[in-house]
Amino acid sequence: IKKAMVDIYRRIERENLPLKILVQIHDELIFETPAAEAEAMTRVVREQMESAMRLRVPLVVDIGVGADWYSAKA
């Protein structure tokens, strides 16, 4: 997850994306982005996280979108 966080941060900076990493809670990352950008930023996060490392088993990312952490997890 740390590698993915660094990769995402670098991409945010490089592409000037409207995305902020707010907090890491265990194996979860919480981001903030404008609602109109949520779908596009979801793709960016998934792409970066699933490609953070090459393993024999695939890295699979579950993503939720919501106004707060509780509604995003539902």
Side-chain angles (χ1 to χ4, degrees):
I1 195 145
K2 299 290 186 192
K3 170 84 166 74
M5 288 172 66
V6 170
D7 293 346
I8 293 167
Y9 177 78
R10 287 180 178 158
R11 185 160 175 189
I12 290 169
E13 291 294 306
R14 184 176 63 246
E15 298 179 19
N16 196 31
L17 299 175
L19 183 65
K20 291 182 185 175
I21 302 173
L22 296 181
V23 68
Q24 174 193 0
I25 302 170
H26 303 291
D27 63 344
E28 297 184 22
L29 296 175
I30 298 180
F31 297 89
E32 182 177 70
T33 193
E37 300 288 339
E39 187 176 329
M41 294 303 104
T42 296
R43 286 191 301 270
V44 167
V45 169
R46 181 181 309 278
E47 179 182 303
Q48 293 301 139
M49 291 188 78
E50 289 183 348
S51 67
M53 297 189 78
R54 293 192 186 266
L55 303 172
R56 287 187 223 174
V57 295
L59 287 173
V60 178
V61 175
D62 293 323
I63 296 179
V65 176
D68 55 48
W69 188 30
Y70 181 78
S71 61
K73 289 182 67 84

